[in-house]
Structure formats: C-alpha cells, structure tokens
Amino acid sequence: MTTDLATVLYGTRILPVLTVPSAASAPPLAEALAAGGARCAEVTFRTPEAERALKAMTAHGGLTVGAGTVLTAEQAERAVAAGARFVVSPGFDAAVIARCRELAVPVVPGVATATELMRALRAGLDTVKLFPAAPLGGTTILKALAAPFPQVRFVPTGGIDPALLPDYLSHPAVLAVGGSWMATTSHLERRAYGEIRRLTAEAVERSTR
Ligand code: 3PG
C-alpha cells in the first residue's frame, strides 16, 4: 500500500529526522517518539545501522517510518526493502525519483532554489523539502519561493529553531516541518529517551496550537 504522504505529514506536521548510530536504540526511540505524539519519523542513511534501525522503528507499529538522506537509486531500493514508507533526499536527483516512482513510494526531494523547484514540478512532484531551511533564510525564503509556486507544498528542514515552528506552520504552503532537535545523536548516546519524549511532545503541542 502506498503511503499518502500528505495525510501522514499533516497528522502532526512534525517530522523527526533521526541519525541512529546503533539499531539497538531504535525500539526505545520509536516508543519515545510515539509517546510524545509523533506519527512519523525519518531514519537517515547516514550510519551503517540505518536499514536495521528503519526496520526496528517500523516494527514498533506506532509510526509511519521513512528513509532520509537517500542519495542514490540503490539506496532508495534498500530503504524500501527495509520498510521505508517514504523517501527523503537532501537534493534533487532524477534517478532517485525515478526509482521511487517504480517502487510506488512517495519521494520528497530537497530544493533550495526556484530552478530546483521547477525540476521537481517537471518530474510530477508537488511536495518538496526546503533544505537547509534556516541557513537559506527561514520563513523569508519560504514565502518568496512559495509565491510563484502556489501548487507546491513544503517541508522546511535544516537548522529549524523549534520556537519558530508556529511561524513556519502558519504559512499555508507548509505541509510539515522536519528536524533532528527532538532526537539527536547525543540524546541517543545518552539514552535520554525521556528528553526525546518531552521535546517531541513540546513540538507536537507547538504544531497543533
Ligand atoms: C536533514 O537531513 O534533514 C537535516 O540534517 C535535519 O536538519 P537539522 O539537523 O538541522 O534539524
């Protein structure tokens, strides 16, 4: 079954981005995120344990889990084989998009410019990750890019200050906001699952106000 990404991301409008050093931390991590009110999560392909972590997060059952930092078609294949229900990329790569399409899995490419956005539109996509959102100009660039592309939905990610969540989410073009602040590598190394749950709950609360 293909995930309706818009429905999943619109549920809480928060997408925790995870870099999991050890798959052993995946079950308590999934539990902490779900208990905090998250409904989805993105496991980045930045560690050798990413596929195992993705599988374990999926097995929890309470989250729709996707893959992030997918840079190649081969990684997209591995991500889907590990159970990814959606694929996120930091940039626009035609081969990644084509393979996701063949696999019938929603794909969200990263864009930083109007040209990249036009490429995504030409590829038939209408949901993009604005990345890296904060260094690019935050809500200022979001508004500027959204204006000529009213059909596009954005998932701003990258350096997001959680205090600014309401500012991002109040823009009608924003589907959801992604970020790693709710569950960082440091949290995972310290097994700070209570803190992960608290930060997730805080973000969910800010996103639904
Ligand atoms: C990503 O890959 O989406 C980013 O690394 C997440 O951005 P952040 O770590 O700045 O929140």
Side-chain angles (χ1 to χ4, degrees):
M1 192 185 63
T2 306
T3 305
D4 178 352
L5 189 65
T7 307
V8 171
L9 292 181
Y10 211 82
T12 62
R13 309 186 72 201
I14 296 294
L15 176 59
V17 177
L18 314 167
T19 297
V20 188
S22 159
S25 54
L29 169 59
E31 178 51 32
L33 292 169
R39 289 291 163 264
C40 56
E42 173 189 323
V43 177
T44 60
F45 268 52
R46 295 188 199 176
T47 67
E49 297 269 296
E51 283 159 272
R52 287 180 57 213
L54 206 158
K55 269 188 201 154
M57 300 276 303
T58 300
H60 175 271
L63 299 166
T64 299
V65 186
T69 320
V70 172
L71 307 180
T72 65
E74 189 260 336
Q75 277 183 334
E77 238 164 62
R78 279 171 30 214
V80 173
R85 301 279 299 278
F86 58 90
V87 166
V88 182
S89 197
F92 181 93
D93 184 272
V96 169
I97 288 161
R99 189 58 52 89
C100 288
R101 191 143 292 141
E102 283 162 17
L103 296 167
V105 68
V107 56
V108 184
V111 304
T113 66
T115 302
E116 290 158 8
L117 240 169
M118 288 171 69
R119 240 178 249 158
L121 283 174
R122 206 182 321 133
L125 302 172
D126 61 6
T127 301
V128 295
K129 166 177 175 164
L130 177 62
F131 180 77
L136 286 172
T139 53
T140 305
I141 187 169
L142 169 72
K143 282 178 200 154
L145 275 180
F149 302 104
Q151 68 277 53
V152 173
R153 292 291 166 267
F154 294 85
V155 184
T157 307
I160 302 284
D161 173 354
L164 299 179
L165 278 176
D167 294 356
Y168 282 99
L169 291 168
S170 64
H171 194 287
V174 172
L175 184 61
V177 172
S180 64
W181 77 88
M182 291 158 273
T184 62
T185 308
S186 163
H187 287 130
L188 295 175
E189 280 166 1
R190 291 182 283 117
R191 301 195 177 120
Y193 300 112
E195 179 76 354
I196 292 172
R197 178 185 171 149
R198 188 185 68 72
L199 289 167
T200 305
E202 201 174 273
V204 169
E205 208 261 324
R206 281 193 176 127
S207 76
T208 50
R209 225 181 257 160

